[in-house]
Amino acid sequence: MRDKILESIRKFSVVRSLRMRLFLIIFIVGIVPCVVLHYGILSNYEERAVEVREAEVETQLRALANHLITYDYLSDQSSELIGAELSEFSALYDGRILVISDHLKVIKDTYSMSDGKTIVSPDVVSCLTQDSTESSYNYDRRDGFIEIVTPIISTSYADSRDGEEENVQGLEEEGVIKGVLLASVSTVTIRTTLGILSRKAMLLEVILILAVFIISLVLSTIMMRPFESLSEEIAAVKAGYSTEPIKAPAFLETEQIADAFNQVLARMNAIDESRQEFVSNVSHELKTPMTSMKVLADSLVQQPDAPIEMYREFMVDIKNEVDRENQIISELLTLVRMDRKDSELNLKDVNVNEMIESILRRIRPIAQNRDIELTLVSMRDVYAQIDEVKMTMVITNLIENAVKYNRDHGKVRVTINADPYNFYVIVEDTGVGIPQDSLDKIYDRFYRVDKSRSREVGGTEARDLVFPSQRASSCSTTAPSTCRVFWVRAPDLPSPCP
């Protein structure tokens, strides 16, 4: 059920909007202090007003209690002065006051409702039995009154003598509770004032809510502006209106998003350019054999009486062009298969030295045609668990390019070496090399340094490669875990890296 509710909420785009969430956060952060301050001030005022009223009433009740003792009102209620003071107190505080004896009998009730009756109140009984001189309070917020119980204390003095001495050594004051004053005081004025303050606070709170609403709306809009600008620029790139890197100032987060997108965009542009170049190269490579075959075929068509030797010669040329076309297509298909992410490795134990010697035997005739010296330097015997087919294709391509892009009468040296963790195949040549400004592009698909020369030579561009290997071994006791293949331009052919 909970998942269904959350799924229903996610369907509303407004709920998932970052702007709406920022607005709500700012709005709540602004409103909560206002509400807390509102009720905090009102609650504090009410508590303080009640405390002041209780202290004021208690002072008046203690004065009345002293008068009651002075005029012996608990025994004789004929004093008009005391009656007037009780009535005045009742009228002043809009309340009721009861004079209760120590036998729980009501001596005087300003409302004349309980005169002569016995009252049983926990507060009154507690005041009489615990001999406490402190008043007790009870605030009834719902009915709006304060109930105060104040003891009526009679003070007497007891003589203190030592042995048979008749001189007065001192007098000790003793307090005896003769009765209790029970007063109920109205809090209408406090509640009225509290209502007035509450209405004013509510008005101020409404104004603050409107102000916070506007501020939250403005701030959320301002904070979202860089994201909107970023989204617009990305949309422009998506629509094809721009290929320039996007800019997103203001926030570190938007800059990070922009940088990540620019990296992806640069990669996409590079891929797009390489694909265009690839299409151009493939068109050129595939068109050349087709053109040659068409010329040869047209020549035969235009010469119906051509001798059989010419037919044979032209058919051999057409066969060679077909073979060339098939070779180009095979190379392209191989390149695509190697670029697939889900390509699986067929691992097996391979003697790397023998594998490279076999590769050099196939390439040596090509090198001899240009008088290029092709040598193999084996620092040690290397055995590894690798995909022999794919590794052969990689190293073949690398050495072929070292020969193709070399100068006549040049040199190519292939070195095999290993350490406890890796084995190395280092290809060094005296060729034209790669310009400095093109070194960062050697890993780009289909990139060629010299396009026109590459078309004349043919093949795919080589690059430095690192291939993981499940297990490899050399003369060391620790098995290497990686094969690193290098192509180095070295006119003087220095000693290979160990």
Side-chain angles (χ1 to χ4, degrees):
M1 184 63 181
R2 177 175 172 271
D3 295 337
K4 292 182 178 180
I5 295 175
L6 292 177
E7 186 65 26
S8 301
I9 293 175
R10 292 192 188 100
K11 292 181 180 179
F12 296 96
S13 59
V14 176
V15 178
R16 296 187 292 111
S17 171
L18 179 59
R19 173 181 290 179
M20 176 58 68
R21 296 185 181 185
L22 287 174
F23 169 79
L24 290 176
I25 291 173
I26 298 172
F27 184 75
I28 292 173
V29 169
I31 288 300
V32 168
C34 296
V35 176
V36 172
L37 189 63
H38 172 194
Y39 289 100
I41 290 176
L42 293 181
S43 177
N44 185 67
Y45 165 78
E46 184 180 12
E47 292 178 1
R48 181 58 182 167
V50 170
E51 289 177 359
V52 171
R53 178 62 58 88
E54 288 174 347
E56 180 184 349
V57 172
E58 182 186 8
T59 302
Q60 296 294 329
L61 289 177
R62 289 197 178 276
L64 278 174
N66 291 333
H67 290 175
L68 292 177
I69 295 297
T70 301
Y71 290 93
D72 195 20
Y73 190 78
L74 295 176
S75 301
D76 183 8
Q77 293 83 37
S78 61
S79 175
E80 296 181 358
L81 179 60
I82 297 300
E85 288 181 354
L86 294 174
S87 299
E88 182 181 0
F89 177 91
S90 179
L92 178 63
Y93 292 103
D94 189 21
R96 178 184 183 186
I97 186 170
L98 301 177
V99 181
I100 305 171
S101 68
D102 54 355
H103 299 295
L104 302 178
K105 181 179 180 181
V106 178
I107 298 174
K108 177 63 177 178
D109 181 5
T110 54
Y111 280 10
S112 301
M113 296 174 60
S114 301
D115 291 338
K117 295 181 179 179
T118 299
I119 184 170
V120 180
S121 170
D123 294 333
V124 173
V125 174
S126 176
C127 183
L128 291 172
T129 57
Q130 293 183 3
D131 295 332
S132 175
T133 61
E134 298 294 330
S135 300
S136 62
Y137 311 96
N138 182 22
Y139 174 48
D140 191 335
R141 181 179 284 104
R142 186 186 64 180
D143 296 331
F145 70 89
I146 302 172
E147 186 179 81
I148 302 176
V149 178
T150 302
I152 303 173
I153 302 174
S154 173
T155 303
S156 61
Y157 293 91
D159 293 340
S160 177
R161 302 181 181 274
D162 185 14
E164 297 178 354
E165 294 181 1
E166 296 181 357
N167 297 328
V168 177
Q169 301 295 326
L171 296 175
E172 182 180 355
E173 183 178 1
E174 295 181 352
V176 180
I177 298 177
K178 298 295 186 178
V180 173
L181 287 176
L182 175 60
S184 298
V185 179
S186 174
T187 58
V188 173
T189 56
I190 297 177
R191 297 175 66 87
T192 302
T193 304
L194 190 63
I196 295 173
L197 291 176
S198 179
R199 286 191 295 271
K200 291 183 178 180
M202 185 65 69
L203 178 60
L204 181 60
E205 189 174 350
V206 171
I207 296 174
L208 289 176
I209 289 175
L210 292 176
V212 171
F213 179 85
I214 296 173
I215 293 173
S216 302
L217 189 62
V218 172
L219 288 179
S220 61
T221 302
I222 293 174
M223 294 176 68
M224 284 302 299
R225 192 167 296 165
F227 291 94
E228 293 176 352
S229 176
L230 181 64
S231 178
E232 291 174 358
E233 294 194 30
I234 293 176
V237 173
K238 177 182 177 182
Y241 298 127
S242 174
T243 57
E244 298 296 325
I246 63 175
K247 298 179 181 179
F251 295 151
L252 177 62
E253 289 76 9
T254 54
E255 290 179 359
Q256 292 175 347
I257 295 173
D259 291 341
F261 181 81
N262 288 335
Q263 293 176 6
V264 174
L265 180 61
R267 183 64 179 166
M268 295 289 291
N269 290 336
I271 292 175
D272 187 60
E273 291 177 1
S274 67
R275 285 177 178 174
Q276 293 178 4
E277 183 66 24
F278 172 69
V279 172
S280 177
N281 293 338
V282 169
S283 300
H284 176 81
E285 298 286 352
L286 296 179
K287 186 176 180 181
T288 301
M290 296 295 294
T291 302
S292 300
M293 287 187 288
K294 186 176 185 303
V295 171
L296 293 172
D298 289 342
S299 298
L300 293 176
V301 171
Q302 292 174 4
Q303 300 182 33
D305 298 330
I308 189 64
E309 292 79 9
M310 180 180 293
Y311 269 96
R312 184 177 290 106
E313 179 182 357
F314 280 19
M315 291 303 296
V316 170
D317 292 339
I318 291 174
K319 174 182 176 298
N320 292 334
E321 293 299 326
V322 171
D323 292 340
R324 180 183 174 189
E325 189 92 4
N326 289 332
Q327 183 181 3
I328 294 173
I329 294 174
S330 298
E331 287 183 358
L332 295 174
L333 292 176
T334 301
L335 200 60
V336 171
R337 284 196 299 268
M338 290 186 64
D339 198 47
R340 290 181 59 184
K341 301 298 183 183
D342 57 350
S343 179
E344 295 183 357
L345 297 178
N346 183 19
L347 301 177
K348 62 181 181 179
D349 291 328
V350 176
N351 187 323
V352 178
N353 303 72
E354 293 181 358
M355 180 187 70
I356 296 180
E357 288 176 358
S358 176
I359 294 173
L360 292 181
R361 282 196 299 270
R362 293 196 300 269
I363 299 177
R364 190 165 279 113
I366 302 175
Q368 291 174 350
N369 291 335
R370 299 179 58 194
D371 192 24
I372 295 176
E373 181 182 348
L374 184 59
T375 60
L376 172 64
V377 178
S378 179
M379 306 298 293
R380 65 193 69 196
D381 292 332
V382 178
Y383 295 87
Q385 192 179 62
I386 58 177
D387 189 321
E388 184 177 8
V389 176
K390 292 183 175 61
M391 188 64 70
T392 300
M393 293 171 58
V394 171
I395 298 177
T396 300
N397 178 263
L398 193 62
I399 300 176
E400 279 185 352
N401 285 342
V403 172
K404 291 178 181 178
Y405 295 100
N406 209 328
R407 62 172 182 262
D408 293 340
H409 315 294
K411 297 180 180 181
V412 175
R413 182 166 65 185
V414 181
T415 304
I416 307 173
N417 202 354
D419 61 23
Y421 303 101
N422 307 281
F423 76 87
Y424 305 89
V425 178
I426 304 173
V427 181
E428 303 165 288
D429 67 75
T430 57
V432 295
I434 300 176
Q436 187 69 27
D437 57 354
S438 298
L439 289 178
D440 59 341
K441 299 180 180 179
I442 61 176
Y443 291 99
D444 294 347
R445 295 288 286 138
F446 312 118
Y447 178 77
R448 298 190 181 204
V449 176
D450 187 343
K451 276 68 176 181
S452 60
R453 184 187 63 191
S454 297
R455 289 173 181 167
E456 294 173 0
V457 177
T460 54
E461 191 74 14
R463 49 190 174 177
D464 297 354
L465 299 171
V466 178
F467 292 91
S469 173
Q470 296 295 325
R471 181 179 58 83
S473 63
S474 65
C475 60
S476 62
T477 56
T478 306
S481 59
T482 324
C483 169
R484 299 184 66 86
V485 184
F486 300 93
W487 181 17
V488 183
R489 178 179 181 270
D492 54 351
L493 289 179
S495 299
C497 300

